[in-house]
Amino acid sequence: MKYDSDMQSLCPAAFSFQVIGGKWNLPLLAVLAGNETIRYNALKRELNGITATTLANTLKELIAHGVVRREAFAEVPLRVEYSLTESGRELVPLIEAIVGWGDRHLGK
Amino acid sequence: MKYDSDMQSLCPAAFSFQVIGGKWNLPLLAVLAGNETIRYNALKRELNGITATTLANTLKELIAHGVVRREAFAEVPLRVEYSLTESGRELVPLIEAIVGWGDRHLGK
DNA sequence: CGGTATCCTTTTAGATACTG
DNA sequence: CAGTATCTAAAAGGATACCG
C-alpha cells in the first residue's frame, strides 16, 4: 500500500483530517458537543484565546465539511446559533477516544 | 467547561494531536501499522513524496512521544529499523475509526 | 451582535547539498 | 544506508481596525 503526497489512497483520512485538524477544530467541536446550540460570542468566550477571524474561519470550514450547522435569526440584536450536524455528532465518540488515548499515554 | 489557548483542560487532546497531527504523521503511522519493522529508505519509498528532512523530523517526534521505536544495527551497510511501540499500536484502531468516518461522510 | 478586510508573524514542510 | 545543515516557500493563525 502506497501513500502519495496527494493522499489519493488516504483521501478519507485527508477529509477527516481537515475536520479534526487545525489548532482550534478539536476544542471547537468539543464545545459544540457540550451544547445543543451555542451563539457566536458564547463560543468565542468558551474558546479562550481564539480570535474572531480564526473562529469565523474554523466555523466556515466545519460548515463546508457538513459537521456544523449555522442558523441565523433576523432579530435585533442579531442572533446566530451554531450546532453539530448528525455527522458532526458521530465524530464525538472518536474525538473522545483520541483524547482518552492521550490521557492514558501522556507521560507514561 | 473552558478550553484555553494553552489547552490546559485539553492537554491529553493536545498530546494526541502532536502524535496524529502534521501532514505525514498519519500516513507514516499507517505504513508502520502494516509492517512488523521497516527500514528508513523503505519507509521513504512507501511515503511517496516525503523528503528525507521531513521523514527524519516526523520519526523523531513520534519516537519522542513514545509511539515509534528505532533500532540501529552496526552493520555495513548500516541498517536501521522502525516499528510501532505498544502505545503506538493502541493508536491504530483509533486511526482506522477516523479514516472510516471520513470514508462514510466524504461527499455525503 | 456577528462578523469581514488587511496585514503581519509563526509554524511547517520542501529543496538542495553534503556527511559518517 | 541513513541521515544532517541550511535556506526558502507556503500555510496557518493572530492583531488591528472597521462594517451591517
Side-chain angles (χ1 to χ4, degrees), chain A residues 39 53 60 70 78 82:
Chain A
R39 300 176 65 167
T53 315
K60 274 182 195 163
R70 190 195 115 115
L78 186 54
Y82 293 93

Side-chain angles (χ1 to χ4, degrees), chain A residues 60-96:
Chain A
K60 274 182 195 163
E61 263 183 55
L62 293 177
I63 290 165
H65 289 124
V67 297
V68 170
R69 174 173 33 237
R70 190 195 115 115
E71 291 174 284
F73 301 88
E75 301 172 359
V76 180
L78 186 54
R79 180 167 56 107
V80 178
E81 305 216 316
Y82 293 93
S83 55
L84 290 181
T85 62
E86 256 320 298
S87 68
R89 262 192 295 278
E90 284 176 31
L91 214 43
V92 175
L94 301 186
I95 294 172
E96 283 167 358

Side-chain angles (χ1 to χ4, degrees), chain B residues 5-106:
Chain B
S5 51
D6 57 12
M7 296 219 191
Q8 286 190 337
S9 28
L10 261 178
C11 207
F15 176 68
S16 301
F17 224 69
Q18 282 166 26
V19 173
I20 62 166
K23 180 167 175 182
W24 291 101
N25 296 42
L26 220 46
L28 178 45
L29 289 170
V31 173
L32 287 168
N35 295 269
E36 263 309 299
T37 74
I38 185 167
R39 301 177 65 167
Y40 180 87
N41 274 321
L43 214 38
K44 191 164 181 306
R45 272 188 301 275
E46 294 290 324
L47 297 163
N48 210 312
I50 199 171
T51 61
T53 315
T54 302
L55 178 53
N57 288 341
T58 308
L59 283 168
K60 274 183 195 162
E61 263 181 53
L62 293 177
I63 290 164
H65 289 125
V67 296
V68 169
R69 176 174 31 238
R70 190 194 114 116
E71 292 175 284
F73 301 89
E75 302 172 356
V76 180
L78 184 56
R79 179 167 56 107
V80 178
E81 305 217 315
Y82 292 93
S83 56
L84 290 181
T85 62
E86 256 321 297
S87 66
R89 262 191 296 278
E90 285 176 30
L91 214 43
V92 175
L94 300 187
I95 293 170
E96 284 167 358
I98 293 168
V99 177
W101 178 91
D103 206 16
R104 286 194 306 283
H105 295 286
L106 219 183

